[in-house]
């Protein structure tokens, strides 16, 4: 304040302009810092929300069942057919034949669990990654896998991230396992039957038309001089 000059209108105007510039620069720097902090906070919130959404989906996949077979069967379709047929021929193709409803359900559960483990390895904590890695290695070696420990770890992390109270210690929750995959439904089967029926009808129509052409062709007669006559 001692350096400010109010002796004349010219110096007073220069002082006011200087103070205005200093104020504008300070406000601009403050706004810039606020915008940068706000953008960083929004980016972190999006990352946290996406991480929680993915882990919640993985929790539902890995721990959506309380009853039935709670283990993941790592066997593939070819292995199941080999066990059913009792032979080990290498010429068996994995896309031939039909599986039972149980084996198809096990295949869908295994695929869903593998996708959930991949998401957990990508976005989970260190504890989640270790448990998911252990489960994935057991699947690779062909062992039946229980995901209850990983489900408990995910449940505790999600409740803590959402500021929810922990599960009461006096509760004894049953063991959780992979959710049962939903079947594709009868609609696809009915459409397949309709398409098959349409194909058979088309084949029958083509056969009838071909038979008619053969009948017409059979009426032509070739005489001894090579002339063709139609009867």
């Amino acid at each position: 304040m001692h350096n400010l000059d109010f002796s004349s209108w010219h110096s007073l105007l220069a002082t006011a302009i200087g103070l205005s510039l200093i104020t504008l620069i300070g406000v601009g720097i403050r706004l810039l810092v606020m915008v940068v902090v706000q953008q960083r906070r929004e980016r972190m919130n999006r990352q946290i929300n996406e991480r929680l959404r993915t882990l919640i989906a993985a929790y539902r996949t890995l721990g959506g069942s309380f009853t039935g077979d709670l283990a993941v069967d790592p066997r593939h379709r070819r292995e199941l057919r080999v066990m059913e047929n009792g032979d080990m021929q290498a010429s068996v193709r994995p896309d031939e034949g039909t599986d039972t409803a149980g084996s198809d359900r096990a295949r869908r559960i295994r695929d869903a669990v593998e996708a959930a483990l991949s998401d957990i390895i990508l976005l989970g904590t260190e504890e989640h990654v270790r448990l998911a890695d252990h489960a994935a290695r057991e699947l690779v070696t062909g062992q039946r896998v229980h995901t209850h420990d990983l489900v408990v770890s995910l449940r505790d992390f999600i409740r803590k991230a959402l500021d929810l109270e922990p599960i009461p210690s006096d509760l004894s929750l049953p063991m959780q396992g992979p959710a049962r995959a939903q079947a594709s439904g009868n609609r696809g089967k009915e459409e397949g039957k309709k398409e098959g029926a349409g194909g058979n009808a088309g084949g029958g129509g083509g056969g009838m038309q071909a038979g008619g052409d053969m009948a017409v062709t059979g009426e032509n007669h070739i005489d001894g001089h090579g002339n063709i006559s139609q009867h």
Side-chain angles (χ1 to χ4, degrees):
M1 295 296 294
H2 297 285
N3 296 326
L4 298 180
D5 187 5
F6 298 100
S7 59
S8 63
W9 288 103
H10 181 72
S11 60
L12 181 62
L13 182 61
T15 302
I17 293 175
L19 290 175
S20 300
L21 289 176
I22 294 174
T23 304
L24 289 176
I25 292 174
V27 172
I29 294 175
R30 182 178 180 182
L31 290 176
L32 180 61
V33 172
M34 291 177 61
V35 169
V36 172
V37 172
Q38 183 68 21
Q39 290 179 350
R40 182 178 180 183
R41 185 177 302 173
E42 292 178 354
R43 183 171 63 253
M44 292 178 62
N45 289 335
R46 287 195 299 268
Q47 293 176 355
I48 293 174
N49 292 335
E50 184 65 25
R51 184 183 186 184
L52 281 177
R53 188 182 299 111
T54 302
L55 294 180
I56 289 174
Y59 170 81
R60 292 176 178 175
T61 300
L62 299 178
S65 297
F66 294 93
T67 59
D69 188 4
L70 301 181
V72 183
D73 191 352
R75 293 175 296 179
H76 288 258
R77 180 179 299 179
R78 179 176 181 177
E79 298 174 1
L80 293 173
R81 273 206 313 276
V82 168
M83 293 179 61
E84 292 175 359
N85 298 332
D87 58 356
M88 298 294 292
Q89 295 180 357
S91 60
V92 178
R93 295 178 55 187
D95 56 349
E96 292 179 351
T98 56
D99 292 331
T100 61
S103 62
D104 188 62
R105 175 182 296 178
R107 176 186 60 82
R108 293 196 302 269
I109 292 176
R110 185 202 66 227
D111 294 343
V113 168
E114 288 182 353
L117 293 178
S118 177
D119 292 338
I120 293 172
I121 293 174
L122 178 64
L123 298 176
T125 62
E126 181 180 356
E127 181 181 2
H128 300 156
V129 172
R130 291 184 182 277
L131 293 173
D133 175 72
H134 178 69
R137 291 183 182 278
E138 288 186 347
L139 288 176
V140 171
T141 57
Q143 302 178 12
R144 293 172 62 85
V145 179
H146 290 277
T147 59
H148 179 72
D149 294 337
L150 181 55
V151 168
V152 173
S153 179
L154 287 172
R155 182 178 61 203
D156 295 340
F157 173 79
I158 293 171
R159 293 185 66 89
K160 183 178 180 181
L162 297 177
D163 293 331
L164 299 176
E165 298 82 1
I167 299 296
S169 58
D170 57 342
L171 291 181
S172 179
L173 296 177
M175 188 173 181
Q176 294 178 247
R180 299 179 182 88
Q182 299 293 332
S184 58
N186 297 328
R187 182 176 179 180
K189 296 181 180 179
E190 293 177 357
E191 292 179 354
K193 291 180 180 179
K194 290 180 180 179
E195 292 178 358
N200 293 334
M208 293 176 62
Q209 183 177 0
D213 294 339
M214 291 178 64
V216 172
T217 306
E219 294 179 356
N220 297 331
H221 177 69
I222 302 177
D223 56 13
H225 300 284
N227 297 322
I228 301 174
S229 62
Q230 184 175 2
H231 298 283

